[in-house]
Each structure stands twice: as structure tokens, then as C-alpha cells.
Amino acid sequence: MRFTIYRFNPEADNAPYMKDYELADIEPGTMLRDALLRIKNEQDDSLSFRHSCGEGVCGSDGININGSNALACVTSIDSLNEPIVLRPLPGMPVVRDLVIDMTQFYTQYRAVKPWLIVNDPVPEVEFKQSPEQRDKLDGLYECILCGCCSTACPSFWWNPDKFMGPAALLQSWRFLSDSRDQATDERLEALEGPYKLFRCHSIMNCVEVCPKQLNPTQAIGNIKKLMLKKML
Amino acid sequence: MTYQAKGLQAWFFQRVSGVFIALYILYFLWVFFTTELFTYQLWLTWFSHPLMNAATGLFFIQLVVHAWVGMRDVVLDYMPNNTIRFFSLIVISFILIASSLEILRILFSLSLNA
């Protein structure tokens, strides 16, 4: 099986280049992460990529696979056309090979204050929530922050320092829809303006690539609807 | 809570103006294609009617608002340089304001004929 992999070592290379590899004796159902590990162990130990849990939970190994962002650990190579072209997630600075600098992504994530904000005295035992209130968090809390969605979003490529990006906005809606959170007005206020939320044009690349099948576009639409409701 | 900034309002106006523009165009096409012989005199009478005259004025105002939000989105998305952004927005707003003033002048002169 043939692979074409983006290579760039800023300490040694003047410019990025694509390098070809070939792997033989690949068992059916092999995941791309395992193939990459074989290339690294058997052919080229200078190849760099992030990985950890190997089962789509940690979100470390998000890469661009044949033009589409995905997690290497849950992508079976049987489903991919040859040569398998691997690039770093687009629109972010490359640290080395398939490893990108996620600083901007985490800055935007922190900016939406992804934690409960409670002004009342915190209950002594626990926060009470009805099953219906808890159900509203489904499809939101499962985000693993792999960055596949935000780095697939053209609006995030164009204004990465101003537009929050789908991952951060999904988390914003996760706390806006949490019955325990008491900072709705402050959260909405912080998203006002032409950039932070309203750069989203519902392109839906984020929905297409999310490895957890989440729907940031719908979350963004819900934030807009809530803003409108408050305005009217 | 203040919503004076331009994000939500622009988004809201674009949708409201979109609905109005669509309804106006449907009505316009319906009249245009169901009228047998559209003479200049008929056209003049139609647009000189106070209701049609006001609706057309409103249509063009909504069109300018819609175009402004859309063009502003294009500039903010595709032009990373702040100076180019600024001058592009100035040029676009000048063209939109000048066109709408001219259209409103024409409509006002038609309403005087009524």
C-alpha cells in the first residue's frame, strides 16, 4: 500500500515536501495510525505525528487524510484510495511533519469560558438536574477537541484570531444550554460582533469531518436563535 | 444586555430583507408575466400607484441592506489586510448609497406623476 506524507522539519528543510512510502503485508482492517507507526518503526524514524489512546478518545491524531480531516486511529485504511495522502490539519502552523501548533485553537476554546459559571452559592451536596435538562447536553459534551472541525472551516482559516471556530462555539452552546449555568447574558454578549460567531456561514465542513458525529453548525444556529430571542 | 454591535443585527436584517425581496420579486414576476401587453404607459401607471411605489422603494432599501451585509461578509472573509478592507467597505458603501439615492429619486418623481 502506497502513502504520500507531508514532511517538514523547520530546523533542516527550507520548504515542505511530500515523501512516498510503501507498506507490504497490511492486514485488512488495519487503522491508519497503526500503519503510520509501522512506517515510523520500520522505515523512517524521523516521521513525526501525534497519537495516544488509539481508539478515538484522546483526539491527538487528527490529520488530513486524502483531503479530509479525520482521526488516524479510527480510520481504516481499507476505506482509503491509494496513494493515501497525509497532510497536517490545514490552516494551522506546522511544528514538524504532521504535528501542528494548536495554540490558536486552544486560545479560542478558553475564550468561550468552557466551564460552569454560577453566581448563586454552590449547593453543599450537588447540583440538581432533571433528566430532560441533562438530555440537552447530549451531542455537545462528547467533543474531544481534536481540532478536525475548526481546521476544516474556511471561516476559521480566514479569521483564525477573530472567529471562534466550530469547536469553541459547540462548547459555548454546551454551557449556554446547561440548566446549571448562570452566565447566559455574559456568554452571548461576549460572542456579539461581526467576527466571533457570525463568521459562520453554515458551510458545514465541521459536521462532515467530526469523528464523534457532532453538529457544531446546529449549535451555532441555536446560539444565534437564543441571541435573537433575547433581542426581541 | 446591549446588542448594538453589528453581528446579530446584520444577520437578522439580512434574513428579513431576503424574505421581503423574494416576495417582491415573486409578485413582480407574476404581474409581469400575467399581463398581456406591457406598454410604457401601463408600466408608469403601475409604478406610480402609491402602494407599488412605496413597496418598490422599500424593496430597494432592503436590497441595499442585504447587499451591504453580503458584501461586508465577502470583504471580511476574503480580504485579510485591514487597509484594503477599510477602503473596500468605503467604496462599496458609496456605490450602494449613491445607487439607492438615485433609485429613490426616480421613484419619487414617479409618485409625483400619480
Side-chain angles (χ1 to χ4, degrees):
Chain A
M1 187 160 256
R2 288 173 298 129
F3 294 81
T4 302
I5 303 180
Y6 177 102
R7 301 299 311 269
F8 181 55
N9 177 0
E11 290 171 4
D13 304 325
N14 290 325
Y17 61 97
M18 301 301 288
K19 190 171 178 184
D20 295 331
Y21 298 90
E22 188 134 4
L23 268 186
D25 306 325
I26 297 182
E27 287 179 23
T30 299
M31 294 298 171
L32 183 60
R33 167 186 173 266
D34 300 315
L36 278 171
L37 282 170
R38 269 192 61 193
I39 293 173
K40 186 174 174 68
N41 294 334
E42 297 170 14
Q43 298 180 26
D44 187 348
D45 63 2
S46 69
L47 176 65
S48 299
F49 57 96
R50 286 197 183 103
H51 70 105
S52 183
C53 73
E55 50 191 25
V57 174
C58 71
S60 307
D61 60 353
I63 50 175
N64 188 269
I65 306 163
N66 283 352
S68 184
N69 294 350
L71 296 180
C73 61
V74 291
T75 303
S76 167
I77 56 172
D78 301 342
S79 63
L80 302 171
N81 293 328
E82 283 191 66
I84 299 171
V85 181
L86 303 178
R87 295 175 186 272
L89 291 176
M92 306 284 261
V94 173
V95 176
R96 183 172 164 158
D97 298 339
L98 302 176
V99 179
I100 56 162
D101 181 356
M102 303 270 285
T103 307
Q104 189 68 64
F105 177 81
Y106 292 129
T107 302
Q108 306 295 46
Y109 175 61
R110 271 195 297 272
V112 301
K113 299 187 177 173
W115 54 81
L116 274 183
I117 298 174
V118 180
N119 301 320
D120 294 342
V122 176
E124 281 182 27
V125 184
E126 60 191 352
F127 284 103
K128 294 269 169 62
Q129 223 177 13
S130 70
E132 292 75 26
Q133 288 170 331
R134 169 61 189 80
D135 285 347
K136 289 182 178 171
L137 307 183
D138 287 341
L140 303 171
Y141 77 93
E142 298 93 333
C143 175
I144 55 173
L145 296 176
C146 61
C148 285
C149 58
S150 290
T151 57
C153 173
S155 290
F156 193 72
W157 301 336
W158 296 325
N159 290 291
D161 54 332
K162 298 188 184 81
F163 176 51
M164 288 293 150
L169 291 171
L170 183 86
Q171 287 314 298
S172 181
W173 179 243
R174 180 249 174 273
F175 287 95
L176 280 166
S177 55
D178 194 315
S179 60
R180 299 164 295 179
D181 194 84
Q182 295 178 335
T184 301
D185 286 357
E186 292 90 322
R187 290 183 191 281
L188 293 180
E189 185 83 51
L191 292 176
E192 241 299 321
Y195 286 103
K196 291 178 180 175
L197 171 71
F198 289 96
R199 279 310 83 215
C200 172
H201 306 306
S202 307
I203 299 166
M204 296 184 79
N205 278 6
C206 52
V207 181
E208 193 175 324
V209 299
C210 179
K212 309 302 276 186
Q213 285 78 50
L214 306 180
N215 194 334
T217 306
Q218 190 177 43
I220 292 168
N222 286 335
I223 298 175
K224 288 174 181 171
K225 272 192 256 175
L226 184 60
M227 272 187 171
L228 195 61
K229 203 172 142 191
K230 291 262 178 186
M231 184 183 80
L232 297 174
Chain B
M1 188 176 206
T2 60
Y3 281 100
Q4 300 307 311
K6 298 183 177 66
L8 179 67
Q9 284 177 353
W11 177 79
F12 181 62
F13 287 147
Q14 196 176 36
R15 269 134 195 88
V16 171
S17 60
V19 171
F20 187 89
I21 290 166
L23 291 175
Y24 180 91
I25 289 174
L26 284 174
Y27 170 70
F28 177 85
L29 291 175
W30 179 69
V31 173
F32 190 78
F33 285 109
T34 52
T35 306
E36 284 218 354
L37 188 63
F38 227 112
T39 60
Y40 174 72
Q41 200 51 47
L42 201 61
W43 183 273
L44 200 64
T45 315
W46 187 30
F47 278 94
S48 302
H49 189 279
L51 269 180
M52 186 57 188
N53 198 276
T56 307
L58 205 55
F59 167 78
F60 281 108
I61 290 169
Q62 304 263 21
L63 192 67
V64 165
V65 170
H66 197 83
W68 166 250
V69 177
M71 290 306 292
R72 191 194 67 159
D73 278 348
V74 172
V75 168
L76 295 186
D77 284 344
Y78 291 102
M79 295 180 181
N81 182 296
N82 277 337
T83 314
I84 299 176
R85 266 184 189 177
F86 179 73
F87 282 107
S88 304
L89 290 174
I90 296 273
V91 171
I92 290 165
S93 55
F94 177 78
I95 293 170
L96 289 176
I97 290 168
S99 324
S100 49
L101 286 176
E102 176 61 10
I103 290 162
L104 291 178
R105 188 191 65 77
I106 295 168
L107 287 169
F108 186 68
S109 69
L110 283 177
S111 70
L112 292 179
N113 290 335

